Amino acid sequence: MSQQLNHISKLMSLVLRHQPEKIGLQLDAHGWTPVQALIDKLLAKGIAVNEALIQTIVATNDKQRFALNDDKTMIRASQGHSIDVALNLPESMPPNILYHGTTGRFLNSIRSNGLQKQNRQHVHLSATVETAVAVGSRHGKPVVLHIQAKAMFDEGYKFYLSDNKVWLTDFVPIAYITQ
């Protein structure tokens, strides 16, 4: 992804997941906003975008962070929100094991408190070790935690699979975490 596309993608992530007010954007209760409204607000901030560029960013984002509706008139972040949106994802049965990428500096807190969603709506889990390593690498030397997801599900914990294949849950207790 070019530097320009990467910059716009990061700004889209910020406004669609965390701070829509930064550019005066309005999201509906499910996190959707008209593509044209996003374009207009970005143009007003001096950022040269158009519908084709937005569609390219959505299609080429390596983490598939964004989703368009069927007629490509509405856009939202697939997951990772720190603002309250109802993604309306169906509850899903996870595989036996899921993974969480982190770094060593967070291990004491995780061992004491489990995995908490912090300022996000959900704890994010990966289906592969490789993805968890990539996530952990963003913050330093990666540590991959193994989550007994199916056992949690069997005990009544809810799991959701986002459009971009990130597993989401509200909390992971210590008893279900191994390294």
Side-chain angles (χ1 to χ4, degrees):
M1 186 180 290
S2 78
Q3 190 173 5
Q4 177 200 17
L5 290 181
N6 190 45
H7 171 73
I8 296 169
S9 177
K10 286 183 178 188
L11 181 57
M12 286 172 49
S13 187
L14 175 70
V15 300
L16 294 173
R17 294 166 82 187
H18 310 294
Q19 297 177 357
E21 70 279 1
K22 189 150 187 103
I23 62 169
L25 192 64
Q26 295 289 316
L27 305 180
D28 72 12
H30 307 286
W32 293 101
T33 194
V35 170
Q36 192 58 54
L38 176 63
I39 291 168
D40 292 345
K41 297 296 184 179
L42 291 173
L43 287 171
K45 295 290 184 183
I47 299 163
V49 295
N50 58 36
E51 192 173 322
L53 187 68
I54 297 293
Q55 288 182 13
T56 297
I57 290 170
V58 171
T60 61
N61 184 272
D62 61 339
K63 295 180 184 171
Q64 295 297 291
R65 282 198 169 113
F66 312 108
L68 292 166
N69 67 345
D70 290 338
D71 66 2
K72 297 183 177 13
T73 60
M74 302 288 284
I75 188 169
R76 77 172 179 182
S78 297
Q79 46 65 240
H81 299 83
S82 61
I83 56 175
D84 190 24
V85 298
L87 294 176
N88 290 345
L89 298 172
E91 187 176 333
S92 298
M93 183 171 60
N96 288 337
I97 305 291
L98 288 170
Y99 306 95
H100 181 78
T102 189
T103 62
R105 73 177 184 263
F106 298 122
L107 287 178
N108 285 340
S109 175
I110 292 168
R111 287 183 182 132
S112 297
N113 305 308
L115 282 171
Q116 299 183 11
K117 55 188 173 182
Q118 305 295 353
N119 64 344
R120 301 282 177 104
Q121 283 191 301
H122 298 97
V123 173
H124 296 186
L125 303 172
S126 305
T128 68
V129 171
E130 295 78 17
T131 301
V133 167
V135 169
S137 295
R138 293 184 314 193
H139 306 289
K141 185 177 179 200
V143 174
V144 175
L145 303 176
H146 297 229
I147 310 303
Q148 305 298 317
K150 178 66 168 59
M152 284 180 62
F153 181 81
D154 290 345
E155 291 295 320
Y157 290 89
K158 294 180 185 203
F159 286 82
Y160 309 93
L161 185 58
S162 70
D163 292 339
N164 61 342
K165 307 302 180 216
V166 174
W167 284 93
L168 308 171
T169 192
D170 289 334
F171 172 67
V172 179
I174 303 160
Y176 299 99
I177 303 171
T178 57
Q179 188 174 336

